[in-house]
Amino acid sequence: MKKTFILIPLLALTLVTAACGQKQSATPASTPPASNAAKPEAAVAAIKATDPYPNAALLADVKWTEEHLKDGKVKIFDTRAKGYEQGHIPGAYALNSGLLKDSANNTIASKEKITELFQGLGVNSDTTVLLYDEGNSLNASRVFYALEYYGLKDHVKVLNGGYAAWSAAAKEVSTDTPPAPVKGNFAAVPNDKLVTTKEQLKALNLQQCVLLDVRSAKEYSGEDLRGNKKGGHIDKAVNREWSDAIDANSSDGVPRFKNYQELSKAFDQTGVDKSKTIVPYCQTNIRGAHTYFTLRLLGYSDVRPYEGAFAEWGNADDTTVVK
């Protein structure tokens, strides 16, 4: 039955050390459409005018989503914690982002588990995956990071504003569960250049890396222990809360990402240098994954979240914290 609502991720230590000492090349410019091949400058200018983020293709809007609802090479996943049964984007499959974490070991779920999960959801090696959640993209970004870490880099998109944007545009919603998909051929292959471990963190050259604590100011200062044995932050980490990337005061009430200029200025002011390796972390790498996505969107070329995060660091006997 369908109805319409109107409203509303253990790299060898030497590799990480080397990476922190190398300046990565900038993200290649988008390829101009074939129809504009004779005027590449005009085509690039047009792209920049409409897609201000360097990696704007990672962010989908309602129009793109609607145009690809029946695209066989696109799989849409609803990563909300609740609400799927009451209404979701037509054709979307429910996906619990918690399945992507091995909490017992403070690691991302194994490649075997990820392979089984996404093959069962019909994902192939060439599938474009579209993710959405309630709107702030927190759960969607966690899945985004996991899929990029396991080999689908540049094949995953996040719906800007999530289900809130879809609802605000009064688009069709469904309460039907789509048919079980044909098993996909996706095979998870971890990319060790997209993750940081505790051992690596303890030996990083912090002249060439930026530790970015994306938790709240009270967690960063140690005022909020959040159940950890130790409160505070990793030495030399700078703080910018993940949620600062979202515009919570949009005119239509939809929590979308702030524009490129505003986000770039904020990260520059925090000291998040594009020429360095950026290591975001939070409590369990959910918020850290959100910042991974934001930095990818902004064109940062070397972002390696600390998957163990503060749940590991703040409770380990061989680590120190500062307040």
Side-chain angles (χ1 to χ4, degrees):
M1 177 179 68
K2 297 184 177 180
K3 52 188 178 182
T4 300
F5 293 160
I6 300 178
L7 43 111
I8 318 253
L10 178 58
L11 168 66
L13 180 59
T14 53
L15 289 179
V16 172
T17 303
C20 286
Q22 296 174 351
K23 180 176 180 178
Q24 302 293 321
S25 59
T27 303
S30 301
T31 302
S35 60
N36 291 316
K39 298 180 179 180
E41 294 86 358
V44 171
I47 290 171
K48 287 184 177 179
T50 56
D51 297 331
Y53 307 104
N55 283 330
L58 302 179
L59 199 60
D61 58 14
V62 169
K63 182 175 183 294
W64 188 96
T65 301
E66 188 171 40
E67 291 173 347
H68 291 82
L69 289 180
K70 297 181 179 180
D71 187 334
K73 289 196 172 184
V74 176
K75 284 286 185 289
I76 305 175
F77 296 114
D78 184 318
T79 68
R80 293 178 294 166
K82 57 184 179 180
Y84 179 83
E85 293 80 7
Q86 287 70 44
H88 50 266
I89 295 177
Y93 292 88
L95 176 58
N96 178 2
S97 62
L99 296 174
L100 308 179
K101 184 77 175 184
D102 181 352
S103 300
N105 296 302
N106 288 310
T107 61
I108 195 166
S110 70
K111 64 181 181 180
E112 293 82 10
K113 183 173 181 179
I114 295 297
T115 296
E116 180 182 10
L117 173 62
F118 285 98
Q119 284 188 354
L121 289 168
V123 176
N124 294 311
S125 59
D126 63 347
T127 296
T128 294
V129 173
L130 175 63
L131 306 163
Y132 72 89
D133 55 26
E134 291 85 349
N136 63 17
S137 299
L138 195 59
N139 286 343
S141 292
R142 175 58 185 175
V143 181
F144 176 93
Y145 170 64
L147 285 173
E148 287 221 326
Y149 171 73
Y150 273 124
L152 276 184
K153 194 170 184 181
D154 294 320
H155 283 267
V156 191
K157 297 175 182 285
V158 169
L159 173 57
N160 198 8
Y163 193 71
W166 187 261
S167 296
K171 297 300 180 180
E172 179 184 9
V173 301
S174 174
T175 57
D176 295 337
T177 300
V182 175
K183 184 177 180 179
N185 62 20
F186 168 72
V189 179
N191 182 348
D192 288 337
K193 292 183 179 181
L194 295 183
V195 70
T196 303
T197 67
K198 175 164 69 75
E199 289 73 19
Q200 292 162 359
L201 263 185
K202 293 168 66 177
L204 287 185
N205 177 358
L206 295 181
Q207 295 301 314
Q208 299 300 326
C209 300
V210 177
L211 298 184
L212 178 57
D213 189 319
V214 304
R215 301 173 301 158
S216 69
K218 288 186 177 182
E219 288 173 273
Y220 180 78
S221 69
E223 183 179 347
D224 182 0
L225 284 174
R226 203 180 174 105
N228 299 307
K229 293 179 181 178
K230 295 177 282 191
H233 56 272
I234 301 173
D235 193 22
K236 303 298 191 299
V238 297
N239 179 228
R240 175 161 289 279
E241 191 168 356
W242 70 275
S243 58
D244 286 348
I246 299 297
D247 181 4
N249 299 302
S250 62
S251 58
D252 60 359
V254 176
R256 299 182 182 89
F257 283 87
K258 293 178 179 177
N259 64 54
Y260 173 64
Q261 292 78 11
E262 191 171 359
L263 287 173
S264 291
K265 181 179 179 180
F267 282 109
D268 285 344
Q269 290 176 339
T270 307
V272 186
D273 190 337
K274 269 190 176 181
S275 69
K276 297 183 177 182
T277 297
I278 313 303
V279 182
Y281 73 88
C282 59
Q283 177 69 16
T284 59
N285 199 32
I286 295 177
R287 292 172 288 176
H290 189 280
T291 298
Y292 169 86
F293 176 82
T294 303
L295 294 176
R296 284 275 286 121
L297 188 63
L298 298 179
Y300 283 74
S301 59
D302 194 2
V303 187
R304 310 186 183 200
Y306 173 26
E307 177 66 23
F310 214 76
E312 179 179 54
W313 192 274
N315 294 286
D317 295 330
D318 60 344
T319 59
T320 59
V321 302
V322 296
K323 297 183 178 182

